Amino acid sequence: MANNYDDQLAALAKKVESKVQGSNISPYSLHKEQTKSVQVRLSQWKKLKMMSVEKEIKLVDLVGQMIDFAMQSEKFK
């Protein structure tokens, strides 16, 4: 009986290992949108970080919203 249990456990471990190795994507991510790095002055980054914490959203989402808003303004059309 113990041998059968060991075989089942080994088979399960093999399945899990193949799933883990086959994907470098976080299972918690909602989508796979790529990002690029940008340089921001430290003083601005601190303000952005504080705003993202206060609004409880990711920094990348906050910056994206700000860029989208700015691109819609008359100044950049």
Side-chain angles (χ1 to χ4, degrees):
M1 178 113 182
N3 202 10
N4 187 22
Y5 177 75
D6 290 340
D7 291 342
Q8 290 176 348
L9 191 57
L12 181 61
K14 189 174 183 179
K15 282 183 186 178
V16 170
E17 184 177 342
S18 68
K19 297 233 185 240
V20 170
Q21 289 178 351
S23 175
N24 291 332
I25 300 167
S26 170
Y28 302 107
S29 67
L30 299 176
H31 50 83
K32 303 176 191 177
E33 190 170 355
Q34 292 183 339
T35 60
K36 295 286 185 178
S37 298
V38 296
Q39 289 186 337
V40 177
R41 289 183 176 86
L42 186 58
S43 60
Q44 292 173 325
W45 180 83
K46 288 178 181 179
K47 291 176 187 176
L48 289 168
K49 185 65 178 171
M50 187 180 304
M51 288 177 69
S52 72
V53 170
E54 288 172 356
K55 294 181 177 285
E56 297 179 354
I57 61 174
K58 292 180 184 179
L59 185 58
V60 68
D61 294 334
L62 176 67
V63 172
Q65 290 173 6
M66 289 179 157
I67 291 172
D68 290 341
F69 180 80
M71 290 171 57
Q72 297 297 322
S73 75
E74 292 296 320
K75 185 174 182 176
F76 295 105
K77 286 189 176 184

